[in-house]
Amino acid sequence: MQLAEPQDFERVLSSMCTEPHPAARDAAERFLATNPGDPGTYESVATLEERAVGLLGEVTGHPDPEGYVASGGTEANIQAVRIARNRADTDDPNVVAPTSAHFSFTKAADLLGVELRTAPTTDHRADPAAMSRLVDDDTVCVVAVAGSTEYGYVDPVPALADLAHDAGALCHVDAAWGGFALPFTDHEWHFGHADVDTMTIDPHKMGQAAIPAGGLLVRSRALLDELAIQTPYLESTSQVTLTGTRSGAGVASAVAAMEALWSEGYREQYRASMDNAEWLADRLAARGHAVVEPELPLVAADLSVPMTEELRSRGWRVTKTGAGEMRVVCMPHVTRSMLRSFVADLDWY
Ligand code: 0PR
């Protein structure tokens, strides 16, 4: 029987994941059979996970971070909402987020019996005034997005953290995708910039680790303890993760990627990706398309649906925003020569 080949990245412009760094690929293979969900048995991967959390703390301005390597941004967001719900004293909890928040918050709300209230964005960013109108005594969490899924835009995190704390709620920042690009920008988004309580930052997106490697970070241990359940028959006595058996490959590859790339490698990658995004934005604008100016390496433009379909039929993997714009994510595997042939195909149309 012929083995299936994984798809190559040559025409992938839609993904928020990328080819793992060679060191990350290597580490993932070596740790395939380990389970950080059982740290009493798999000690070396458990030690690596502490290292992963420490490195994630460096990326996010937290000198003394707590957290763990999750299966992805979805799990990290669900767990952040769970922390906020568990620590609050209300029978009718709600979470306030911008409409740009990832759909994993809808899953979190459904699973956790929390009401999700979303406020419209202004210029693709959260509008603190609109969100404040949705906050009340039962608000347990205010969500800020640092690198939105559709446009790559960054919410005003300090203002949203103030909004959260004035209401006695937690502030969660979803930097699942943007977290490894934002350190090289002027944005205020992390633990050192504002009173952020919890954060999602995924090594398996811009971090160039192998899937699955998401990240949940919290400001203090007490927040993580909100998730603890007893585990009577394991050597460890409690567990804070959502899943039980977990991927040691994800953990090991996250450490390998961050050790190889933090910080100069990520900085160079950010510069190259941002240059590519700006180059593409300029080419699209020159062809008369309305372009959403890239804030991080993601370009959205008003290409017609038939045009996008034609590009797809030529093998280009591009997606559309909810508003119908074509969206290109300039991940590390997206090179200038790829974008040149993409634009050439666009011109043919
Ligand atoms: N938060 C943000 C800001 C995200 O963009 C995403 C995923 C998540 C949370 C959830 O993360 P996980 O998918 O790791 O649970 N954003 C992309 C999306 O859902 C993920 C993606 C990845 C899409 C690879 C396509 C792809 O090829 O659209």
Side-chain angles (χ1 to χ4, degrees), residues 172-331:
H172 175 64
V173 173
D174 182 358
W177 177 72
F180 285 90
L182 285 162
F184 315 109
T185 68
D186 292 334
H187 290 287
E188 294 196 293
W189 63 284
H190 70 32
F191 290 103
H193 299 137
D195 237 343
V196 172
D197 296 290
T198 58
M199 180 171 308
T200 296
I201 170 168
D202 288 352
H204 75 198
K205 294 194 173 74
M206 280 290 191
Q208 299 179 46
I211 302 168
L216 173 69
L217 292 184
V218 301
R219 184 172 282 281
S220 65
R221 180 74 212 180
L223 292 174
L224 209 56
D225 286 343
E226 295 289 350
L227 300 173
I229 53 94
Q230 303 311 308
T231 54
Y233 61 86
L234 292 181
E235 273 178 70
S236 48
T237 52
S238 76
Q239 197 172 77
V240 297
T241 54
L242 187 58
T243 56
T245 303
R246 294 189 287 134
S247 167
V251 170
S253 74
V255 171
M258 288 188 278
E259 283 185 340
L261 295 167
W262 176 255
S263 59
E264 262 327 288
Y266 288 127
R267 181 192 301 278
E268 280 167 29
Q269 189 54 63
Y270 164 74
R271 287 214 182 106
S273 297
M274 202 60 212
D275 280 354
N276 280 338
E278 278 159 3
W279 182 91
L280 179 64
D282 287 349
R283 297 302 170 288
L284 293 171
R287 284 157 179 77
H289 300 289
V291 177
V292 179
E293 199 49 46
E295 198 163 272
L296 287 175
L298 196 165
V299 183
D302 71 340
L303 266 67
S304 68
V305 172
M307 209 165 181
T308 308
E309 290 307 321
E310 172 65 25
L311 288 165
R312 282 190 67 85
S313 76
R314 289 172 165 243
W316 294 104
R317 298 288 145 231
V318 283
T319 46
K320 289 182 289 245
T321 65
E325 295 131 325
M326 182 201 66
R327 168 179 168 276
V328 168
V329 193
C330 293
M331 293 300 289

Side-chain angles (χ1 to χ4, degrees), residues 12 14-17 71-75 77 102-105 145-150 174-178 200 202 204-205 214 327:
V12 175
S14 55
S15 188
M16 295 189 126
C17 297
S71 55
T74 298
E75 178 182 340
N77 284 341
H102 187 255
F103 52 74
S104 46
F105 290 100
V145 187
S148 61
T149 309
E150 289 193 300
D174 182 358
W177 177 72
T200 296
D202 288 352
H204 75 198
K205 294 194 173 74
R327 168 179 168 276

